[in-house]
């Protein structure tokens, strides 16, 4: 949890001067640079928690009373989470367009530098012809990915910027076939915008172009230029531009402090929207004023909104209008179960004795319910697709428990059967995750074209090293990423991080079970 300096620690008693705010990671720089100093000056006990858009929507729809204010990246997931209208005083704090970006030399090679008329069709042509590759954050797990998806859907539906996608259009062959083109064009779909940006900056040879927030291009370019590296270059998809509007609203909990906390939030909103110093700080962070006409700005700082980076300070483009919550939900469900590429997922689950002792096995049993029980998985957009293949292997010092078990497709009863088998197993014995990884590499060899492969390891990381070299070599030769999740109170990350890094995957700690599973499943 992020907390402002006016709190001693997260255990300080809650009072009428406490404001508990949950925000997307996109707002971290704003919280640290603008909101935190304001809280200190006002002597307010501000407590900030960073959670993704899907997590915020889940908390809000469940009626959580843990937070007084929600700050979404955009209205897309706010609509999904606030179908009951619980948020009050919702206002957009600033605007951030979603741009198509890449390394400047790559964008120059594509003939996109200096152009203000690059369209979705131009981008698709460049990718489908093999001239470049493109990444987007997973639309079901990331606001930026979802807004890009709706930009493409609007394009395939033939809508202008002011016309939202309808259910009839979503059901049409034009949108169905076009969205499948969109999915086929994406080389990778990391679970979050932050992960996407970190991977692309770290591996420029593998990540050539991508969709992201304009302000992140600005932020990363300052870092890249300072380090003497090539900057990124951004273009704005003509006619299909998606804009994140950073809505911030109050959630009443029914307690005695509601009135005071609502007043505090209203003061914060007024500060962000009206205070000259706050507005200047937001501009320096690359956030466009929500109070401006369209996306244009008066006297923009060209060291921030730098035209050499493709940033258009006085952008005349109108953003798309987002569809209703019902259409948003239907589109994201279809992405997860129909649009995305089918995937073969191989789970290696640590059922050793140490997992029994450190709480890790209880965590894995809880994870099984979240992932394999499809009604529960749908709540977090983690559903298995009808063409997916799911294999689960339990391991201690060897493969154990009568596994592996494989389910082809998304039959609810068969998927629930995986949960039942995991729940019924008693953990015990030594640990060697590499034997399971060797089995995963064997099972994933020879994947048919158009199908993705993925290995997910859940372990405390305390493994024997027999078979390590072969496991890493086999997985690297396949090009299949390993997503490693650390379970257990005393989990050792070293071996898990090594296998994830060696295979181009990612490592996550299981501090928040659902968030960890979303990160893993987001690679599907």
């Amino acid at each position: 949890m992020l907390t402002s300096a006016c709190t001693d620690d997260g255990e300080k008693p809650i009072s009428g001067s406490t404001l508990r705010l949950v925000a997307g990671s996109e707002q971290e720089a704003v919280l640290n640079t603008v909101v935190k100093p304001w809280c200190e000056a006002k002597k307010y006990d501000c407590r900030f928690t960073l959670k993704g858009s899907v997590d915020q929507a889940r908390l809000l729809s469940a009626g959580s009373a843990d937070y007084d204010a929600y700050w979404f990246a955009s209205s897309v997931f706010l609509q999904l989470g606030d179908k009951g209208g619980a948020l009050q005083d919702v206002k957009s704090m600033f605007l951030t367009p979603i741009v198509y970006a890449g390394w400047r030399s790559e964008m120059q090679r594509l003939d996109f530098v200096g152009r203000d008329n690059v369209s979705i069709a131009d981008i698709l042509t460049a990718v489908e012809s093999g001239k470049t590759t493109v990444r987007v954050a997973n639309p079901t797990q990331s606001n930026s990915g979802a807004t890009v998806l709706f930009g493409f859907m609007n394009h395939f539906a033939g809508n202008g910027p002011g016309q939202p996608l309808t259910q009839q259009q979503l059901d049409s062959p034009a949108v169905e076939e076009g969205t499948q083109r969109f999915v086929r064009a994406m080389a990778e779909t990391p679970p979050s915008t932050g992960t996407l940006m970190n991977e692309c900056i770290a591996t420029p040879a593998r990540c050539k172009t991508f969709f992201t927030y304009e302000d992140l291009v600005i932020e990363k370019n300052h870092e890249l230029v300072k380090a003497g590296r090539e900057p990124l270059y951004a273009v704005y998809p003509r006619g299909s531009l998606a804009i994140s509007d950073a809505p911030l609203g109050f959630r009443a909990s029914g307690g005695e402090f509601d009135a005071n906390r609502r007043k505090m939030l209203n003061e914060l909103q007024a500060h962000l929207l009206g205070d000259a110093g706050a507005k200047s700080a937001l501009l320096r962070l690359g956030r466009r004023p929500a109070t401006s006409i369209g996306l244009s700005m008066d006297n923009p700082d060209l060291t921030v909104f730098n035209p050499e980076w493709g940033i258009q300070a006085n952008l005349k483009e109108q953003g798309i209008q987002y569809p209703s919550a019902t259409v948003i939900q239907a589109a994201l469900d279809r992405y997860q179960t129909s649009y995305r590429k089918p995937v073969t997922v191989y789970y290696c689950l640590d059922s050793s004795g140490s997992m029994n002792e450190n709480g890790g096995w209880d965590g894995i049993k809880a994870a099984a319910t979240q992932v394999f029980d499809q009604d529960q998985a749908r709540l977090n957009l983690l559903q298995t697709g009808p063409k997916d293949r799911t294999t689960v292997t339990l391991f201690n010092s060897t493969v154990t428990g009568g596994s592996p078990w494989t389910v082809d497709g998304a039959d609810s009863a068969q998927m629930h059967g995986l949960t039942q088998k995991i729940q019924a197993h008693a953990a015990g014995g030594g640990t060697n995750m590499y034997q399971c990884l060797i089995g995963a590499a064997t099972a994933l060899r020879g994947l048919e074209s158009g199908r993705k492969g993925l290995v997910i390891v859940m372990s405390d990381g305390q493994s024997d090293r027999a078979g390590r070299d072969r496991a890493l070599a086999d997985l690297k030769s396949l090009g299949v990423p390993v997503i490693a999740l650390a379970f257990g109170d005393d989990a050792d990350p070293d071996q898990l991080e090594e296998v994830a890094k060696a295979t181009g995957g990612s490592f996550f700690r299981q501090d928040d079970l659902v968030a960890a599973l979303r990160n893993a499943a987001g690679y599907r």
Side-chain angles (χ1 to χ4, degrees):
M1 175 186 292
L2 283 175
T3 57
S4 73
C6 55
T7 61
D8 294 327
D9 55 59
E11 300 302 318
K12 185 176 179 179
I14 293 174
S15 69
S17 64
T18 301
L19 181 67
R20 302 164 301 171
L21 190 155
V22 59
S25 59
E26 302 89 351
Q27 321 301 15
E28 184 172 9
V30 176
L31 291 171
N32 288 330
T33 305
V34 185
V35 180
K36 179 178 175 181
W38 177 82
C39 291
E40 293 173 340
K42 299 286 288 187
K43 299 190 184 305
Y44 288 155
D45 176 9
C46 299
R47 305 184 184 189
F48 313 135
T49 300
L50 298 179
K51 285 188 178 293
S53 295
V54 175
D55 291 324
Q56 286 192 65
R58 176 170 54 87
L59 288 167
L60 187 57
S61 63
S64 172
D66 292 342
Y67 303 103
D68 310 304
Y70 285 75
W71 199 349
F72 286 86
S74 87
S75 297
V76 172
F77 282 99
L78 183 150
Q79 288 188 70
L80 289 184
D82 197 29
K83 294 175 183 176
L87 279 191
Q88 304 169 26
D89 304 336
V90 178
K91 294 181 180 179
S92 171
M93 294 293 100
F94 44 79
L95 304 175
T96 302
I98 305 295
V99 298
Y100 175 63
W103 300 99
R104 183 182 174 86
S105 59
E106 182 70 7
M107 299 296 272
Q108 184 78 57
R109 192 176 66 81
L110 297 173
D111 195 29
F112 288 165
V113 172
R115 289 177 54 186
D116 62 2
N117 63 346
V118 177
S119 67
I120 290 292
D122 294 329
I123 296 168
L124 275 175
T125 297
V127 176
E128 291 176 336
S129 66
K131 290 182 179 179
T132 192
T133 59
V134 60
R135 298 186 187 189
V136 66
N138 189 305
T140 66
Q141 305 300 323
S142 163
N143 170 73
S144 71
T147 51
V148 170
L149 175 65
F150 288 115
F152 271 82
M153 285 182 163
N154 250 28
H155 167 76
F156 295 128
N159 290 346
Q163 182 180 355
L165 185 77
T166 66
Q167 184 66 47
Q168 184 177 6
Q169 289 176 326
L170 181 63
D171 294 338
S172 70
V175 172
E176 174 85 18
E177 294 165 8
T179 304
Q180 289 174 347
R181 281 184 66 197
F182 161 79
V183 171
R184 286 195 298 268
M186 300 302 139
E188 293 187 30
T189 54
S192 70
T193 314
T195 300
L196 180 150
M197 293 299 292
N198 290 337
E199 291 179 350
C200 287
I201 298 301
T203 58
R206 292 181 58 233
C207 181
K208 297 179 179 180
T209 71
F210 45 88
F211 289 92
T212 189
Y213 297 108
E214 175 193 63
D215 55 45
L216 288 184
V217 172
I218 293 171
E219 177 184 318
K220 293 299 181 184
N221 270 356
H222 284 300
E223 297 172 4
L224 289 165
V225 171
K226 185 176 180 180
R229 294 181 60 186
E230 179 184 9
L232 304 171
Y233 189 92
V235 297
Y236 303 80
R238 174 60 65 89
S240 303
L241 183 67
I243 300 172
S244 289
D245 53 351
L248 173 62
F250 176 74
R251 169 70 164 85
S253 61
E256 59 179 313
F257 300 130
D258 274 356
N260 198 52
R261 290 172 179 167
R262 185 173 186 177
K263 177 176 176 291
M264 292 166 62
L265 182 70
N266 292 160
E267 290 176 6
L268 173 59
Q269 291 173 323
H271 176 71
L272 293 171
L273 293 172
D275 180 81
K279 291 195 292 185
S280 177
L282 289 173
L283 284 169
R284 288 194 297 273
L285 292 172
R287 272 66 172 181
R288 295 175 184 252
T291 53
S292 63
I293 299 175
L295 291 169
S296 62
M297 296 178 288
D298 295 329
N299 302 314
D301 183 349
L302 297 184
T303 65
V304 177
F305 297 91
N306 191 337
E308 291 297 312
W309 301 339
I311 305 300
Q312 298 181 32
N314 291 307
L315 190 61
K316 306 300 183 183
E317 185 80 3
Q318 180 183 356
I320 66 167
Q321 185 174 341
Y322 295 118
S324 67
T326 302
V327 176
I328 290 173
Q329 183 70 61
L332 296 180
D333 282 342
R334 291 185 191 185
Y335 177 88
Q336 187 66 12
T337 59
S338 301
Y339 297 148
R340 65 170 173 80
K341 297 175 184 178
V343 61
T344 296
V345 187
Y346 198 105
Y347 288 87
C348 286
L349 307 183
D350 185 347
S351 65
S352 63
S354 61
M355 291 285 283
N356 220 11
E357 297 163 2
N358 60 23
W361 186 240
D362 288 337
I364 284 181
K365 289 193 289 185
T369 300
Q370 295 287 339
V371 175
F372 302 132
D373 287 5
Q374 295 304 285
D375 288 343
Q376 189 65 36
R378 187 176 183 274
L379 297 176
N380 296 295
L381 295 168
L382 297 173
Q383 306 100 300
T384 298
K387 296 181 180 179
D388 291 347
R389 166 172 281 197
T390 305
T391 296
V392 174
T393 296
L394 308 183
F395 69 89
N396 46 32
S397 56
T398 185
V399 172
T400 188
S403 64
W405 309 297
T406 297
V407 173
D408 286 312
D411 181 81
S412 294
Q414 292 186 52
M415 293 300 293
H416 179 63
L418 295 177
T419 302
Q420 291 177 312
K421 290 172 181 175
I422 294 167
Q423 298 278 1
H425 183 72
T431 310
N432 189 325
M433 71 175 175
Y434 300 109
Q435 297 304 316
C436 186
L437 291 175
I438 290 170
T442 300
L444 293 171
R445 190 167 286 114
L447 287 177
E448 59 265 39
S449 176
R451 175 176 288 270
K452 295 172 68 174
L454 182 66
V455 179
I456 298 177
V457 180
M458 301 182 187
S459 173
D460 59 14
Q462 302 172 29
S463 174
D464 294 340
R465 302 181 73 83
R468 168 191 171 276
D469 292 347
R470 178 185 168 188
L472 294 181
D474 286 357
L475 289 166
K476 287 170 69 175
S477 69
L478 290 176
V480 173
V482 175
I483 311 303
L485 303 181
F487 279 72
D489 296 335
D490 57 353
D492 183 345
D494 290 348
Q495 289 172 290
L496 295 171
E497 286 183 318
E498 179 190 49
V499 71
K501 183 177 180 180
T503 59
S506 293
F507 165 79
F508 302 99
R509 288 186 178 277
Q510 189 273 116
D511 298 319
D512 180 329
L513 175 61
V514 172
L517 294 174
R518 282 183 42 245
N519 279 320
Y523 281 88
R524 293 193 296 194

